[in-house]
Amino acid sequence: MTSEPVTPAQPGAAPDLVELAKIVARQRAELDRLRDQAATSAVVERAKGAVMALTGCAADAAGEQLLQRAKAGRHTLLEECWITLGTLAPRASGSGTAREFRGAEIPGRAGDLETSAVPDDVTAALARLGQALVRVTTPHDLAGCLLEHLGPDMAADAVLIYARRPDGGLELTGHAGIDDKLATQWGQVPPLSGMAALDALRAREPRWLEDYPADERRYLLIGDPPDRWRSRAWLPVLVAGSAEVCIGVLRGRAGAFTSRDRAHLHGVTGLCAGRLRTFDTPPERDADAATDAVQALFEALPVAAMLLTPLQAATGETEDFRVEAATAQVGDLLGRSGEETAGRRLLELRPALAAEPLWQGCLRVLATGSAYEGEPFAHEEVVAGVAELSVYTARVAPLGDTLVVSWIRHGSSDRQEQRLADLQRLGNLGWANWNLATQEASWSTQVFSLFGVDPRRGPVRLPEVPELALPEDTPALTRAIGELVHHGRPFDVPFRIRTSGGIRHLRLVAEAVPDRHGTPVEVHGFVQDMTARRRAELALVESERAILTQHDVLQAERTLASRLQHALLPMSNRPVHLAGLRVEVAYLPAQSGVHVGGDWFSAIELPDGSALLVVGDVAGHGVDAVATMAQLRFTAKGMVITGSSLTGALARLNTLLLHSRDSHTTATMVLARYDPRRRRLVWAQAGHPPPLLLRDGEARYLRRPGGMLLGASATPVYQEAECRLHPGDRLILYTDGLVEHPPHSIDRGLEELAEAVAVPHGDGPASLGPLLARMLPDVRRDDVCVVDVRVPGMQDG
């Protein structure tokens, strides 16, 4: 493994956290690779040693044999090692000295499955499984690894691993995909007929359960309910010709296991045979009188308890605990009801314990020597056939080099007290009592914390409680307490106190308990911390006030901008005639939001008799956008009137925006000049949608000349385009509010505009109305500006 230094970008600067994270990730990956490499090497060396022991050959020859067998069987070397470890067994020759391979039928290589019958994808999947098996250390890990491997491949939902017991029954040694309750129910299977797993072991052949109604009549099926898994496969793991372990693959879906699935599962059992043989057995306990005496003592205890001895790994870290002695109740709490727990490893009994607080508590007691007590937890028990929920607390105490773990079951009063404590903690409140006759007071622990009073000082008498409040809140609290003490009137009073952490908002709710004459003799109530709620209320009020203020400001700005816009854009109620053209304009402000946009138009007749047609759109909204619009509108008209070309005017307007007080303002524009003598339209644009021309019932967009939007670059290039207009032509100039309606794209809007313009229409003054009605949604989010230009037909001339 290598490390890489990280140099700060500047002197004194912190290293780049991203780079540090990358280095840590690379180092972790390298560490994982080295661990896998070491584990893989161990498996290969163990297989070579087995071959050497059985054949008497040297190490190199054993390695070469494994390579040749892997090549012949289309396996990886690691797969061949697993298969070899699971199938090799010594057999004496005729002379009694030489030894050779004797194996059960090796899946994928001999017996009922030919090598050529294994699909390539199965071969690749088995290779990945062989590599994954090097990280498996227990039967539970193996079951999880197989489920992860077979789940995506053949929709496996659960994997069970059973081992044959000496009495002929089965013991569930590993499982994945089922809960602990089901595992406990089926943890021990007696040697009865009608169990598919036992049947597969006795026959040393797989059992394929693919017809649920028929399988239900023939076998006792695992499951709660059994129809949870509609198809199952039970495969014996053949080790040196015998079968002591059976692997079950359970699927929720119905249907048969295909020939590919069967080939895959045969290969899986072949690899698992080697893995199962290489599991390290847990250290055995020393059987002596002292051990027996300890176990006898624990069996006599009325509570759930066990004695643990730590087991250390090669690194010196505690990797597990051995149960030296345990009471009968421990098996139920660990999900192993009816099993013998003494002498077994703790993680073997409950693998999930490594992720639970009790495991960390055991390690903490080993490190510190101080006792540990966990949080209460609920556990379901079956008493007389009825499920009951009980509450336990786990405790760990050191005893020499061992640990004593006990579980204390809480009675109903304990649970009630715990619930009350939880209620006070979660509600951030506490209870208080005051005896008016004896002047005695009692507070819960939470009240001392809320008032910031040292518990050693004791609770404060009821008449002295107002002294804890801020001076402004004291009178109201004093008055409420007086009314309660003298007249028995309950109260609910908020008040504030000052603590080391700042001002705290509290609420005191109290009522009196009268004697038989109606005189208050006792007061009880509760104190609640309302600081978070009060702060939220104040923040909400402040936020609402700010929103209203901002709304008023925006509304005033809209009114100002709207008046300014109407003053700058005088609208005509009817079409106007310029240079022989009939021009109709429309401006529609946005209907959503409080800002006014910066869309504008110009349609004027120049001194030489030509017409200037302009539409533009300033980015942004509000007074600034309207001011920029006015600046561009009048400047453009002035420059064109004084002789500037269209491209020259756009270039100067671009410079004007770049040097304006708001350097981030941009705008789009179309400038068009129409010469009536030659019916010639010359136009230029700056990042604006092109005009739409309607001629002889066909609508098309003019090809845009080059031009970047104004204010975007200090060196833009603008070009002109020319178009000859014919009698009867119609030209539409517009801003993007007409064609851009989210979530639809602007391209779709352009298509809809062309279709709408091509629809036959009248030539009356209101002819622009139907077009706008068809194009615009009910609620507009942007301003819309349209200049509708028509060239009179021959009959109009």
Side-chain angles (χ1 to χ4, degrees):
M1 185 188 303
T2 60
S3 61
E4 302 178 19
V6 178
T7 303
Q10 297 177 355
D16 189 338
L17 295 181
V18 175
E19 290 300 323
L20 284 175
K22 291 181 179 178
I23 292 173
V24 171
R26 286 197 295 268
Q27 290 177 338
R28 286 178 177 172
E30 177 66 11
L31 181 60
D32 292 341
R33 188 188 66 81
L34 292 175
R35 286 175 177 169
D36 288 350
Q37 184 178 1
T40 301
S41 299
V43 174
V44 174
E45 292 303 319
R46 185 175 293 183
K48 288 170 62 177
V51 175
M52 292 167 61
L54 293 174
T55 63
C57 65
D60 291 343
E64 184 61 29
Q65 277 196 53
L66 291 172
L67 287 172
Q68 293 298 326
R69 293 168 70 89
K71 182 178 180 181
R74 294 175 60 201
H75 303 140
T76 64
L77 176 60
L78 188 58
E79 285 182 273
E80 186 60 38
C81 291
W82 289 128
I83 296 172
T84 299
L85 291 173
T87 58
L88 286 179
R91 185 183 68 180
S93 66
S95 62
T97 57
R99 287 181 289 182
E100 61 183 14
F101 287 121
R102 180 191 70 121
E105 294 176 350
I106 301 176
R109 188 171 60 199
D112 61 353
L113 185 64
E114 296 298 331
T115 299
S116 58
V118 181
D120 291 339
D121 61 334
V122 171
T123 301
L126 292 175
R128 292 192 297 271
L129 176 61
Q131 185 63 47
L133 289 179
V134 301
R135 294 185 290 273
V136 171
T137 58
T138 66
H140 277 290
D141 292 344
L142 178 59
C145 179
L146 292 180
L147 183 58
E148 183 178 354
H149 176 77
L150 297 174
D153 186 86
M154 61 182 67
D157 295 304
V159 171
L160 307 181
I161 300 177
Y162 275 107
R164 195 201 304 261
R165 296 199 315 248
D167 63 356
L170 296 178
E171 177 182 2
L172 184 64
T173 59
H175 61 82
I178 66 172
D179 54 34
D180 290 340
K181 180 179 178 181
L182 188 62
T184 300
Q185 292 175 350
W186 293 91
Q188 302 290 331
V189 179
L192 302 175
S193 59
M195 289 297 300
L198 273 173
D199 194 10
L201 285 176
R202 289 166 180 164
R204 294 201 293 273
E205 293 180 351
R207 290 294 179 260
W208 309 99
L209 281 62
E210 301 164 325
D211 183 353
Y212 180 78
D215 296 333
E216 188 179 25
R217 292 190 297 269
R218 182 180 180 187
Y219 292 113
L220 178 61
L221 300 180
I222 295 175
D224 185 17
D227 60 356
R228 173 181 174 185
W229 296 295
R230 308 292 295 186
S231 59
R232 312 158 191 244
W234 291 98
L235 299 102
V237 179
L238 301 179
V239 177
S242 63
E244 301 297 326
V245 176
C246 188
I247 297 177
V249 179
L250 286 62
R251 304 190 303 183
R253 75 179 189 187
F257 290 85
T258 65
S259 58
R260 176 194 174 281
D261 294 339
R262 297 192 179 199
H264 194 169
L265 290 174
H266 275 294
V268 166
T269 56
L271 298 181
C272 290
R275 176 70 276 184
L276 289 167
R277 291 190 70 183
T278 56
F279 283 144
D280 295 325
T281 57
E284 296 294 334
R285 292 189 305 160
D286 295 330
D288 53 23
T291 302
D292 295 339
V294 171
Q295 179 59 41
L297 173 63
F298 269 72
E299 289 177 354
L301 294 177
V303 298
M306 61 183 177
L307 182 67
L308 301 180
T309 296
L311 302 176
Q312 294 182 338
T315 60
E317 298 179 353
T318 300
E319 64 176 2
D320 206 342
F321 294 89
R322 184 174 60 243
V323 181
E324 300 293 353
T327 62
Q329 301 94 317
V330 168
D332 180 59
L333 287 170
L334 294 179
R336 294 286 185 172
S337 299
E339 294 187 30
E340 178 65 33
T341 55
R344 300 177 66 177
R345 290 194 177 205
L346 189 57
L347 292 184
E348 175 190 352
L349 294 169
R350 186 178 176 87
L353 190 66
E356 297 178 5
L358 179 59
W359 178 266
Q360 297 300 324
C362 292
L363 298 181
R364 191 182 313 158
V365 173
L366 280 179
T368 64
S370 301
Y372 162 82
E373 181 170 335
E375 294 290 333
F377 66 92
H379 176 72
E380 186 179 84
E381 300 174 312
V382 179
V383 179
V386 179
E388 293 184 357
L389 198 63
S390 301
V391 177
Y392 286 87
T393 296
R395 298 175 181 174
V396 184
L399 180 63
D401 295 332
T402 62
L403 301 179
V404 176
V405 181
S406 60
W407 286 268
I408 306 301
R409 182 180 179 182
H410 299 287
S412 58
S413 60
D414 296 331
R415 291 198 296 271
Q416 194 70 19
E417 184 176 345
Q418 181 62 43
R419 290 179 185 136
L420 180 59
D422 291 340
L423 175 63
Q424 294 184 78
R425 176 176 52 83
L426 296 174
N428 208 4
L429 55 82
W431 57 264
N433 285 335
W434 290 276
N435 190 312
L436 302 181
T438 63
Q439 299 301 314
E440 294 179 349
S442 60
W443 287 359
S444 68
T445 305
Q446 193 75 8
V447 174
F448 287 98
S449 176
L450 294 176
F451 277 120
V453 175
D454 189 343
R456 291 174 295 182
R457 171 185 167 185
V460 176
R461 296 171 59 246
L462 184 59
E464 299 171 355
V465 169
E467 300 175 5
L468 301 174
L470 293 182
E472 308 92 281
D473 298 339
T474 299
L477 190 56
T478 302
R479 195 164 42 250
I481 291 176
E483 292 287 334
L484 174 68
V485 172
H486 296 100
H487 306 290
R489 295 175 184 170
F491 66 81
D492 183 345
V493 177
F495 61 98
R496 295 165 295 169
I497 65 172
R498 188 181 302 277
T499 66
S500 57
I503 300 298
R504 180 175 294 169
H505 295 261
L506 300 180
R507 170 194 181 199
L508 177 57
V509 180
E511 66 179 3
V513 179
D515 60 11
R516 60 191 180 92
H517 302 294
T519 303
V521 294
E522 187 175 352
V523 173
H524 57 77
F526 67 86
V527 181
Q528 185 176 16
D529 188 352
M530 307 294 290
T531 305
R533 177 177 176 179
R534 184 58 179 160
R535 287 176 179 172
E537 291 174 351
L538 293 175
L540 179 60
V541 170
E542 187 63 28
S543 176
E544 290 177 347
R545 183 183 296 114
I547 290 174
L548 290 174
T549 302
Q550 182 67 15
H551 182 271
D552 292 342
V553 172
L554 295 176
Q555 195 63 45
E557 180 181 326
R558 176 181 174 85
T559 301
L560 174 62
S562 179
R563 290 178 179 175
L564 179 61
Q565 189 178 57
H566 284 296
L568 297 173
L569 291 176
M571 297 291 296
S572 175
N573 294 328
R574 60 185 63 189
V576 296
H577 296 275
L578 304 173
L581 300 175
R582 177 179 175 274
V583 180
E584 185 179 357
V585 296
Y587 173 78
L588 301 174
Q591 292 177 311
S592 62
V594 297
H595 287 302
V596 176
D599 291 24
W600 88 93
F601 67 90
S602 284
I604 62 173
E605 188 169 310
L606 299 177
D608 61 359
S610 60
L612 176 65
L613 306 171
V614 186
V615 291
D617 185 1
V618 174
H621 297 82
V623 175
D624 290 341
V626 174
T628 303
M629 174 269 288
Q631 188 179 35
L632 293 177
R633 181 173 185 266
F634 292 115
T635 304
K637 286 172 32 177
M639 285 190 294
V640 175
I641 289 175
T642 56
S644 294
S645 64
L646 300 183
T647 56
L650 289 176
R652 290 179 175 84
L653 292 174
N654 181 75
T655 303
L656 178 65
L657 276 187
L658 288 176
H659 293 84
S660 65
R661 60 184 178 87
D662 185 1
S663 59
H664 300 291
T665 301
T666 59
T668 66
M669 183 187 299
V670 168
L671 284 174
R673 188 167 185 169
Y674 175 70
D675 182 358
R677 292 182 295 274
R678 294 184 291 173
R679 298 183 186 273
R680 178 172 174 261
L681 180 77
V682 178
W683 69 287
Q685 63 87 27
H688 201 87
L692 177 65
L693 176 64
L694 177 66
R695 176 176 293 168
D696 298 331
E698 179 182 355
R700 65 179 179 87
Y701 289 97
L702 301 182
R703 179 182 291 275
R704 289 202 316 172
M708 183 181 296
L709 77 163
L710 303 176
S713 172
T715 58
V717 175
Y718 297 104
Q719 299 175 344
E720 291 182 348
E722 181 179 330
C723 176
R724 297 280 181 172
L725 298 183
H726 298 170
D729 284 355
R730 183 181 184 186
L731 189 70
I732 305 291
L733 286 74
Y734 53 92
T735 57
D736 57 2
L738 182 66
V739 293
E740 190 171 20
H741 308 298
H744 305 303
S745 67
I746 192 172
D747 292 335
R748 179 175 175 180
L750 292 172
E751 293 175 359
E752 292 177 349
L753 177 60
E755 294 172 359
V757 170
V759 173
H761 56 277
D763 291 328
S767 60
L768 193 54
L771 174 65
L772 297 177
R774 177 170 179 175
M775 287 297 300
L776 298 179
D778 295 336
V779 178
R780 296 183 298 278
R781 299 184 179 181
D782 198 2
D783 295 356
V784 176
C785 188
V786 181
V787 177
D788 186 1
V789 179
R790 303 186 184 225
V791 181
M794 297 300 295
Q795 66 277 11
D796 299 327

